[in-house]
Amino acid sequence: MDDYRYQDSTYGGYSPNDAYYSGDHGNQDEDAQSDATEGHDEDDEIYEGEYQGIPHPDDVRAQHKGAAYRDDHADLITERMEDEEQLAYQYENIIQECGHGRFQWTLFFVLGLALMADGVEVFVVGFVLPSAEKDMCLSRSNKGMLGLIVYLGMMLGAFVWGGLADKLGRKKCLIISLAINATFSFVSSFMQGYGLFLFCRLISGVGIGGSLPIVFAYFSEFLAREKRGEHLSWLCMFWMIGAIYAAAMAWSIIPHYGWGFSMGTHYHFHSWRVFVVICVLPCIASIIALKFMPESPRFLLEMGKHDEAWMILKQIHDTNMRAKGEPEKVFTVSHIKTPKQLDEFIEIQSSTGTWFQRWFVRVLTVLKQIWENMLHCFSGQYKKNTIFLGVVWFTMSLSYYGLTVWFPDTIRYLQDEDYASKVKKFHDENVKNFTFNFTLENQIHKDGEYYNDKFYKMKLKYVTFEDSLFEDCYFEDVTSAGTIFKNCTIKSTVFYNTDLYKHKFIDCEFINSSFYDQKEGCHMDFEEDNDFLIYLVSFLGSLSVLPGNIISALLMDKIGRIRMIAGSMLISAVCCFFLFFGSSESAMIGWQCLFCGTSIAAWNALDVITVELYPTTKRATAFGILNGLCKLAAIFGNSIFASFVGITKVVPILLASTALVGGGLISLRLPDTRELVLM
């Protein structure tokens, strides 16, 4: 900042005209002048050359000053670009001198926890949805909104935190974003109402949305060129670990009803809420560990903080050398190039205005800089790469997230078809003076007559009574999942402590019948609602990406980012066509594992090339924009693909394949960044 700040030497020699400011000289004529010019306003004076089209001298001087300022600003930008190029090569040499060792591996695991928290956040709502929809009495539309709200929050968070990380620092923004995620995720587990739970999940999504852009920008700035592709790919494995952790915890916790507690009749903390709390642990662990990690020295150098950056680089060097058994090695770097600083912050003195006004001006200044940074990603030399990357991110996300929702929904549909095919049908029953105290499941009773029967402490699971007569019957402590009464006549019957609400009786006639002390809220059946297949499918799908992660990490620097993206997307598109032959649950699970295993390489290469194509001042911003587009595509994919479940397989398969082929071909237009230093 010192190089760009107005120095006293430049303006310190300026002194006002003595005729106006040097003591008492000229004061004797002041009264006379004021009398002569009384009522005369210089601003109203007409410049006599105005009628002749001659510019006013003040306007000419203003134009010359503006042109001079633009020339100076352009020179400063040119000088800064030259400084940044020199810094890029010098920084690469410094990182190579520091070596790759204990420090990078420590940071690897710390940032891995943050990436793990992102993976957990994506899956947690899907795992709790079957239980939450019963616990909070969710309608189909509310259920769908709960599934999409996390992606909406992550999309907003990616835009916001990516931009802030390029202005305020990687470490600071990552800690704040993770803290927001941990806080609101934890609070959401206690929310009994749908609205508050939805709001908490939205804000927690906004928090975790910053993890992916910041983590990769942060870690890449500690890696040398020959290590960058491989180790960023290894870091991607933590997202897989987060998904496996979420699936394993859901499988272990949610089915255990006894792990929760209740306070009265209105507050219930079921086991799925315990699962939500457990899922916060990776985020909390990452926040604690980040406290002991330094800020990115590359970011500090871009901000002009030379001494602080030098101390961190020396710390990296000394840590790695001690771990290698060479503590005597000295850090030889004494001075690092720092680019010219172009930011012009508006600073209000503490004596001017209120604290709120000062804070408001600072916030507006930062937001303005973030917005300009975002616009720069779509202009000049970055425009082409941003557009191509945006298309690849969008098509990859549309197909991946769309199919990961379509797979379990299709498997569930196949299950429902199989379940419906096993339905038992009963016609013209005549039951008198009988006590039903056992479970009735998957049955249809038509044209039946029930006289003086008792339904006591029993469950009705997907039972339909149609055109039947109930007379002098008694229902007590009955739960009825998926049960309906259609066109029935109910005479002199009592319903006590049941969940047989009015909407479960369709076109029914009630004669002298009464309802007493009906059950409040929705009631969960852990034997049914906690579908183990959901956990199994997610667990196997997450585990299947392990081979792809290993292969991509080992080959990333050998075959290059572009070939990795294009090859992975095209192979994944071929895998989609085999879904036409998936007509059973096991076949669908197998094809899902194959698709996830082949597509992970493209995800890893996209993460690597995104951080390499942009300079330090725009790296997190650009990653945030592209990751925000990714989450927008996830919202579209979830909505579009889910709407075709049970209708047709052709549209989802063709849409996913077309998107993957198109994105893979467009990725070939991107430049290869294997040999580039980080600008």
Side-chain angles (χ1 to χ4, degrees), residues 336-495:
I336 309 172
K337 185 71 175 179
T338 54
K340 290 286 184 181
Q341 301 303 300
L342 302 180
D343 292 340
E344 299 177 2
F345 281 96
I346 300 174
E347 187 67 29
I348 300 180
Q349 299 298 325
S350 58
S351 59
T352 306
T354 64
W355 66 269
F356 178 78
Q357 290 174 322
R358 295 192 296 273
W359 176 83
F360 185 70
V361 169
R362 293 190 184 101
V363 169
L364 285 182
T365 303
V366 172
L367 292 177
K368 178 176 177 291
Q369 292 174 336
I370 292 173
W371 176 248
E372 291 175 350
N373 220 16
M374 288 183 174
L375 294 180
H376 286 162
C377 294
F378 291 93
S379 61
Q381 58 181 324
Y382 309 113
K383 179 179 180 179
K384 181 180 176 181
N385 291 336
T386 302
I387 293 174
F388 286 158
L389 271 177
V391 173
V392 177
W393 273 92
F394 191 89
T395 54
M396 186 68 200
S397 180
L398 180 72
S399 57
Y400 179 83
Y401 286 104
L403 286 177
T404 52
V405 169
W406 184 76
F407 278 123
D409 285 354
T410 302
I411 293 172
R412 185 186 290 269
Y413 174 76
L414 294 174
Q415 283 184 315
D416 292 341
E417 278 194 328
D418 182 63
Y419 185 79
S421 67
K422 298 176 181 178
V423 65
K424 296 177 182 179
K425 298 181 179 181
F426 301 88
H427 295 273
D428 300 319
E429 286 183 308
N430 193 310
V431 183
K432 295 181 180 180
N433 303 317
F434 185 79
T435 299
F436 293 89
N437 56 2
F438 49 86
T439 298
L440 299 180
E441 182 176 2
N442 197 21
Q443 298 177 5
I444 297 176
H445 298 264
K446 192 170 184 179
D447 298 320
E449 295 181 357
Y450 304 89
Y451 296 96
N452 198 30
D453 294 322
K454 186 176 183 180
F455 298 81
Y456 180 69
K457 289 187 177 180
M458 64 169 301
K459 296 178 181 179
L460 298 173
K461 294 183 177 180
Y462 299 96
V463 178
T464 299
F465 293 96
E466 188 173 352
D467 299 320
S468 299
L469 170 66
F470 294 85
E471 187 172 349
D472 295 322
C473 293
Y474 180 77
F475 290 78
E476 181 179 352
D477 197 11
V478 176
T479 57
S480 55
T483 296
I484 58 173
F485 295 76
K486 296 173 64 176
N487 198 29
C488 295
T489 301
I490 302 171
K491 299 172 62 176
S492 304
T493 297
V494 174
F495 297 87

Side-chain angles (χ1 to χ4, degrees), residues 187-371:
V187 171
S188 71
S189 66
F190 296 93
M191 296 296 103
Q192 297 291 304
Y194 168 74
L196 289 175
F197 183 80
L198 193 72
F199 174 77
C200 288
R201 297 314 305 185
L202 172 66
I203 304 302
S204 69
V206 172
I208 201 63
S211 64
L212 207 66
I214 300 176
V215 162
F216 282 100
Y218 191 11
F219 191 52
S220 66
E221 291 164 1
F222 289 90
L223 298 174
R225 177 172 49 192
E226 65 272 9
K227 299 283 186 180
R228 196 165 56 233
E230 177 185 351
H231 287 270
L232 286 175
S233 299
W234 288 124
L235 185 64
C236 295
M237 291 184 65
F238 280 95
W239 198 92
M240 173 202 71
I241 295 172
I244 294 175
Y245 171 83
M249 290 299 102
W251 203 340
S252 304
I253 296 172
I254 295 180
H256 296 282
Y257 180 80
W259 287 27
F261 63 89
S262 297
M263 297 174 62
T265 58
H266 298 286
Y267 189 89
H268 303 282
F269 196 87
H270 292 304
S271 55
W272 69 267
R273 298 180 182 273
V274 178
F275 164 71
V276 173
V277 173
I278 295 299
C279 286
V280 181
L281 295 181
C283 189
I284 295 175
S286 180
I287 294 171
I288 296 173
L290 276 170
K291 286 290 188 180
F292 301 96
M293 292 291 106
E295 179 58 86
S296 164
R298 182 60 188 274
F299 168 79
L300 294 174
L301 289 170
E302 293 287 345
M303 297 296 107
K305 299 179 180 180
H306 175 275
D307 294 345
E308 189 175 348
W310 185 89
M311 291 296 294
I312 294 172
L313 290 168
K314 184 177 185 301
Q315 175 191 349
I316 298 171
H317 175 273
D318 294 346
T319 300
N320 290 339
M321 293 305 110
R322 284 195 300 268
K324 293 179 180 178
E326 302 175 357
E328 70 281 357
K329 273 198 171 182
V330 179
F331 186 53
T332 60
V333 178
S334 58
H335 180 74
I336 309 172
K337 185 71 175 179
T338 54
K340 290 286 184 181
Q341 301 303 300
L342 302 180
D343 292 340
E344 299 177 2
F345 281 96
I346 300 174
E347 187 67 29
I348 300 180
Q349 299 298 325
S350 58
S351 59
T352 306
T354 64
W355 66 269
F356 178 78
Q357 290 174 322
R358 295 192 296 273
W359 176 83
F360 185 70
V361 169
R362 293 190 184 101
V363 169
L364 285 182
T365 303
V366 172
L367 292 177
K368 178 176 177 291
Q369 292 174 336
I370 292 173
W371 176 248

Side-chain angles (χ1 to χ4, degrees), residues 13-62:
Y14 174 79
S15 60
N17 193 309
D18 290 342
Y20 292 92
Y21 294 96
S22 56
D24 295 332
H25 182 74
N27 288 345
Q28 296 175 357
D29 298 331
E30 187 174 329
D31 295 336
Q33 291 176 0
S34 62
D35 293 339
T37 60
E38 185 175 357
H40 177 71
D41 190 349
E42 293 182 358
D43 292 338
D44 296 334
E45 183 177 353
I46 299 177
Y47 170 57
E48 62 184 51
E50 182 177 350
Y51 296 106
Q52 304 174 16
I54 302 174
H56 195 284
D58 291 342
D59 294 338
V60 175
R61 284 194 294 270

